[in-house]
Coordinates of all heavy atoms in Angstrom, one line a residue:
P9 N 3.2 10.5 17.2 CA 3.0 9.2 16.5 C 3.0 9.3 15.0 O 2.9 10.3 14.4 CB 1.6 8.8 16.9 CG 1.0 10.2 17.5 CD 2.1 11.0 17.9
P10 N 3.4 8.3 14.3 CA 3.6 8.2 12.9 C 2.3 8.4 12.2 O 1.3 8.0 12.7 CB 4.4 7.0 12.6 CG 3.9 6.1 13.6 CD 3.8 6.9 14.8
P11 N 2.2 8.9 11.1 CA 1.0 8.9 10.2 C 0.4 7.4 10.1 O 1.3 6.5 10.0 CB 1.3 9.5 9.0 CG 2.6 10.0 8.9 CD 3.3 9.4 10.2
M12 N -0.8 7.3 10.0 CA -1.4 5.9 9.8 C -0.8 5.2 8.6 O -0.8 4.0 8.5 CB -3.0 6.0 9.7 CG -3.6 6.4 10.9 SD -3.9 5.1 12.1 CE -5.1 4.2 11.3
N13 N -0.6 5.9 7.4 CA -0.3 5.3 6.2 C 1.2 4.7 6.2 O 1.6 4.1 5.2 CB -0.4 6.2 5.0 CG 0.3 7.4 5.1 OD1 1.0 7.7 6.1 ND2 0.3 8.4 4.1
N14 N 1.9 4.9 7.2 CA 3.2 4.4 7.4 C 3.3 3.0 8.1 O 4.4 2.5 8.4 CB 4.2 5.3 8.1 CG 4.7 6.4 7.3 OD1 4.3 6.5 6.1 ND2 5.2 7.5 7.9
A15 N 2.1 2.4 8.2 CA 2.1 1.0 8.8 C 2.9 0.1 8.1 O 2.9 0.0 6.9 CB 0.5 0.5 8.9
V16 N 3.6 -0.7 8.9 CA 4.4 -1.8 8.3 C 3.6 -3.0 8.0 O 2.9 -3.5 8.8 CB 5.6 -2.2 9.3 CG1 6.4 -3.3 8.8 CG2 6.4 -1.0 9.6
P17 N 3.6 -3.6 6.8 CA 2.8 -4.6 6.5 C 3.5 -5.9 7.1 O 4.6 -6.3 6.9 CB 2.9 -4.8 5.0 CG 4.0 -4.0 4.6 CD 4.3 -3.0 5.6
V18 N 2.6 -6.5 8.0 CA 3.0 -7.8 8.7 C 1.8 -8.7 8.7 O 0.8 -8.3 8.3 CB 3.5 -7.4 10.1 CG1 4.8 -6.7 10.1 CG2 2.4 -6.6 10.9
N19 N 2.1 -9.8 9.3 CA 0.9 -10.9 9.3 C -0.1 -10.3 10.2 O 0.2 -9.9 11.3 CB 1.7 -12.2 9.9 CG 0.5 -13.2 10.1 OD1 -0.6 -13.0 9.8 ND2 1.0 -14.3 10.7
A20 N -1.3 -10.3 9.7 CA -2.5 -9.7 10.3 C -2.8 -10.5 11.6 O -3.4 -10.0 12.5 CB -3.6 -9.6 9.4
D21 N -2.6 -11.8 11.6 CA -2.9 -12.7 12.8 C -2.0 -12.5 14.0 O -2.4 -12.8 15.1 CB -2.9 -14.1 12.4 CG -3.9 -14.4 11.5 OD1 -4.9 -13.8 11.5 OD2 -3.8 -15.5 10.8
A22 N -0.9 -11.7 13.8 CA 0.0 -11.5 14.8 C -0.5 -10.7 16.1 O -0.2 -10.9 17.2 CB 1.3 -11.0 14.4
A23 N -1.4 -9.8 15.8 CA -2.0 -8.9 16.8 C -3.1 -9.6 17.6 O -3.4 -9.2 18.7 CB -2.5 -7.6 16.2
M24 N -3.5 -10.7 17.2 CA -4.6 -11.4 17.9 C -3.9 -12.3 19.0 O -2.8 -12.8 18.9 CB -5.4 -12.3 16.9 CG -5.9 -11.5 15.8 SD -6.7 -12.5 14.6 CE -8.3 -13.0 15.4
P25 N -4.7 -12.4 20.0 CA -4.2 -13.2 21.2 C -3.9 -14.7 20.6 O -4.5 -15.1 19.7 CB -5.5 -13.3 22.2 CG -6.2 -12.2 21.9 CD -6.0 -11.9 20.3
V26 N -3.0 -15.4 21.2 CA -2.5 -16.7 20.8 C -3.7 -17.6 20.6 O -3.8 -18.4 19.7 CB -1.4 -17.2 21.7 CG1 -1.1 -18.7 21.3 CG2 -0.2 -16.4 21.7
A27 N -4.6 -17.6 21.6 CA -5.7 -18.5 21.6 C -6.7 -18.3 20.4 O -7.3 -19.1 19.9 CB -6.5 -18.4 22.9
A28 N -6.6 -17.0 20.0 CA -7.6 -16.5 18.9 C -7.0 -16.8 17.5 O -7.8 -17.1 16.6 CB -7.9 -15.1 19.0
T29 N -5.7 -17.0 17.3 CA -5.1 -17.1 16.0 C -5.4 -18.4 15.3 O -5.4 -18.4 14.1 CB -3.7 -16.8 16.0 OG1 -3.0 -17.7 16.9 CG2 -3.4 -15.3 16.5
S30 N -5.5 -19.4 16.0 CA -5.6 -20.7 15.3 C -6.9 -21.0 14.6 O -6.9 -21.5 13.4 CB -5.5 -21.9 16.3 OG -6.6 -21.8 17.3
S31 N -8.0 -20.4 14.9 CA -9.3 -20.7 14.2 C -10.1 -19.4 13.8 O -11.2 -19.5 13.5 CB -10.2 -21.5 15.0 OG -10.5 -20.9 16.3
C32 N -9.4 -18.2 14.0 CA -10.1 -17.0 13.7 C -9.6 -16.3 12.6 O -8.5 -16.5 12.1 CB -10.0 -16.1 14.9 SG -10.8 -16.7 16.4
T33 N -10.5 -15.5 12.0 CA -10.2 -14.6 10.8 C -9.5 -13.4 11.2 O -9.9 -12.7 12.1 CB -11.5 -14.3 10.1 OG1 -12.3 -15.4 9.9 CG2 -11.2 -13.7 8.7
S34 N -8.5 -12.9 10.5 CA -7.9 -11.7 10.8 C -8.9 -10.5 10.3 O -9.7 -10.9 9.4 CB -6.6 -11.4 10.2 OG -6.7 -11.3 8.8
V35 N -8.8 -9.3 10.8 CA -9.6 -8.2 10.4 C -9.3 -7.9 8.9 O -10.2 -7.5 8.3 CB -9.4 -7.0 11.4 CG1 -10.2 -5.9 10.8 CG2 -9.7 -7.4 12.8
K36 N -8.0 -8.1 8.5 CA -7.7 -7.8 7.1 C -8.6 -8.5 6.1 O -9.1 -7.9 5.2 CB -6.3 -8.2 6.8 CG -5.3 -7.1 7.0 CD -3.9 -7.5 6.6 CE -3.0 -6.4 6.7 NZ -1.6 -6.7 6.3
G37 N -8.8 -9.8 6.4 CA -9.7 -10.6 5.4 C -11.2 -10.6 5.8 O -12.0 -11.4 5.3
F38 N -11.6 -9.7 6.7 CA -12.8 -9.7 7.4 C -13.9 -8.9 6.5 O -13.6 -7.8 6.1 CB -12.8 -9.1 8.7 CG -14.0 -9.0 9.4 CD1 -14.8 -10.2 9.9 CD2 -14.7 -7.8 9.5 CE1 -15.9 -10.0 10.6 CE2 -16.0 -7.7 10.1 CZ -16.5 -8.8 10.7
S39 N -14.9 -9.5 6.1 CA -16.0 -8.8 5.4 C -17.3 -9.6 5.7 O -17.4 -10.7 5.4 CB -15.8 -8.8 3.9 OG -16.8 -8.3 3.3
H40 N -18.2 -8.8 6.4 CA -19.4 -9.5 6.8 C -20.6 -8.4 6.8 O -20.5 -7.5 7.4 CB -19.4 -10.2 8.1 CG -20.5 -11.1 8.4 ND1 -20.4 -12.4 8.2 CD2 -21.7 -10.9 8.9 CE1 -21.5 -13.1 8.5 NE2 -22.3 -12.1 8.9
L41 N -21.6 -8.7 5.9 CA -22.7 -7.8 5.8 C -23.9 -8.2 6.9 O -24.0 -9.4 7.1 CB -23.3 -7.8 4.5 CG -22.5 -7.4 3.3 CD1 -23.1 -7.5 2.1 CD2 -21.9 -5.9 3.5
I42 N -24.5 -7.2 7.4 CA -25.7 -7.5 8.2 C -26.9 -6.8 7.6 O -26.8 -6.0 6.7 CB -25.5 -6.9 9.7 CG1 -25.3 -5.4 9.6 CG2 -24.3 -7.5 10.4 CD1 -25.5 -4.8 11.0
S43 N -28.1 -7.4 7.9 CA -29.3 -7.1 7.2 C -29.9 -5.7 7.8 O -30.4 -5.0 6.9 CB -30.3 -8.1 7.3 OG -30.7 -8.4 8.6
E44 N -29.7 -5.4 9.0 CA -30.3 -4.2 9.6 C -29.2 -3.3 10.2 O -28.6 -3.7 11.1 CB -31.4 -4.6 10.7 CG -32.6 -5.3 10.1 CD -33.4 -4.3 9.4 OE1 -33.5 -3.1 9.7 OE2 -34.1 -4.8 8.4
K45 N -29.1 -2.1 9.7 CA -28.1 -1.2 10.2 C -28.7 -0.6 11.6 O -29.9 -0.5 11.7 CB -27.7 0.0 9.3 CG -27.0 -0.4 8.1 CD -26.5 0.8 7.3 CE -25.5 0.2 6.2 NZ -24.6 1.3 5.7
L46 N -27.8 -0.2 12.4 CA -28.3 0.4 13.7 C -29.0 1.7 13.4 O -28.6 2.6 12.7 CB -27.1 0.7 14.6 CG -27.3 1.4 15.9 CD1 -28.2 0.5 16.8 CD2 -26.1 1.7 16.6
T47 N -30.3 1.8 14.0 CA -31.0 3.0 14.0 C -31.4 3.3 15.4 O -30.9 2.7 16.4 CB -32.4 2.8 13.2 OG1 -33.2 1.9 14.0 CG2 -32.2 2.3 11.8
N48 N -32.1 4.5 15.5 CA -32.5 4.9 16.9 C -33.4 3.9 17.6 O -33.7 4.0 18.8 CB -33.0 6.3 17.0 CG -31.9 7.4 16.8 OD1 -30.9 7.1 17.3 ND2 -32.2 8.3 16.0
S49 N -34.0 3.0 16.8 CA -35.1 2.2 17.5 C -34.7 0.7 17.3 O -35.6 -0.1 17.7 CB -36.4 2.5 16.8 OG -36.3 2.2 15.3
N50 N -33.7 0.2 16.9 CA -33.4 -1.2 16.8 C -32.1 -1.7 17.4 O -31.4 -2.7 16.9 CB -33.4 -1.6 15.3 CG -32.2 -1.1 14.5 OD1 -31.4 -0.2 14.9 ND2 -32.0 -1.7 13.3
Y51 N -31.6 -1.1 18.4 CA -30.3 -1.4 19.1 C -30.2 -2.8 19.4 O -29.2 -3.5 19.1 CB -30.1 -0.5 20.4 CG -28.8 -0.9 21.0 CD1 -27.6 -0.6 20.5 CD2 -28.9 -1.5 22.3 CE1 -26.4 -0.9 21.3 CE2 -27.8 -1.9 23.0 CZ -26.5 -1.6 22.4 OH -25.3 -1.9 23.2

Side-chain angles (χ1 to χ4, degrees):
M12 293 276 292
N13 59 358
N14 284 352
V16 178
V18 289
N19 177 2
D21 291 334
M24 298 174 82
V26 174
T29 58
S30 61
S31 63
C32 296
T33 310
S34 72
V35 178
K36 269 187 173 178
F38 177 76
S39 173
H40 196 92
L41 300 176
I42 62 168
S43 60
E44 292 290 324
K45 288 189 173 205
L46 176 63
T47 67
N48 285 319
S49 61
N50 72 346
Y51 174 70

